[in-house]
Amino acid sequence: MIRPARPEELAVLSAVIGASITALCRADHHGDPDRIKPWVASNSPMTLASILNHPEQRLFVAAPEDVAAVGGIDWRAQPDGQGRIRLLFAAPEAQGKGCGRALLTALEDELRALGRVEARLTATNTALAFYRSQGWQMDDRAGGGGWLLGHPLRKRLI
């Protein structure tokens, strides 16, 4: 079940993201606490609350029972017709069970419903193959991701 995130679950969502970063993203942080700590901190409950409360952003969860994945979109300061997948993380125990794929599809559908014809994101090393398998293509813009190497991707939504 994909649904909008709720304010009362922000601490749980932050914990899911932190667990995902720590356990699943080793190809990006290589177990280095100096790389893990700021990445986890950048997805604090306060940061997630700012997404949830912003009129040009959305936060969703895949929650067949407990929260299995967290995803966010935004279209702030994006060129006309474009949106962005801001984040997408699956709980370690949900990896490979389709929750991330279902949530990505829902995020793309939401951007499409908002009139966006193209989406962009910056993939981690860990997630690059996943996004490519879902039809995302390499983008020619510069990489991002702050303290981590990012792979810019794009996808036509219509």
Side-chain angles (χ1 to χ4, degrees), residues 10 22-23 33-34 43 48 71 86 91 93 109 116 118 127 135 142 144 146 158:
L10 292 173
T22 303
D34 290 336
N43 291 285
L48 297 177
R86 179 183 169 122
E93 62 275 10
D109 289 346
R116 305 298 158 163
E118 184 175 67
I158 59 165

Side-chain angles (χ1 to χ4, degrees), residues 4 12 14 52 60 69 78 84-85 90 98 100 105 120 139 144:
V12 170
S14 180
L52 195 62
F60 292 89
Q78 299 291 313
R84 178 171 74 114
I85 305 291
T105 298
R120 294 181 183 260
D139 197 352

Side-chain angles (χ1 to χ4, degrees), residues 82-133:
Q82 289 186 12
R84 178 171 74 114
I85 305 291
R86 179 183 169 122
L87 61 92
L88 179 60
F89 291 96
E93 62 275 10
Q95 185 182 30
K97 295 183 179 173
C99 293
R101 187 177 311 109
L103 186 53
L104 178 60
T105 298
L107 297 174
E108 292 170 1
D109 289 346
E110 183 72 12
L111 286 170
R112 196 176 292 108
L114 291 163
R116 305 298 158 163
V117 297
E118 184 175 67
R120 294 181 183 260
L121 61 80
T122 302
T124 60
N125 290 325
T126 301
L128 181 59
F130 165 74
Y131 287 118
R132 296 293 306 254
S133 76

Side-chain angles (χ1 to χ4, degrees), residues 1-9 13 52 58-63 71 103 110:
M1 167 192 203
I2 308 297
R3 61 170 173 76
R6 300 176 187 135
E8 66 271 13
E9 62 191 357
L13 304 184
L52 195 62
R58 301 276 189 280
L59 196 59
F60 292 89
V61 299
L103 186 53
E110 183 72 12

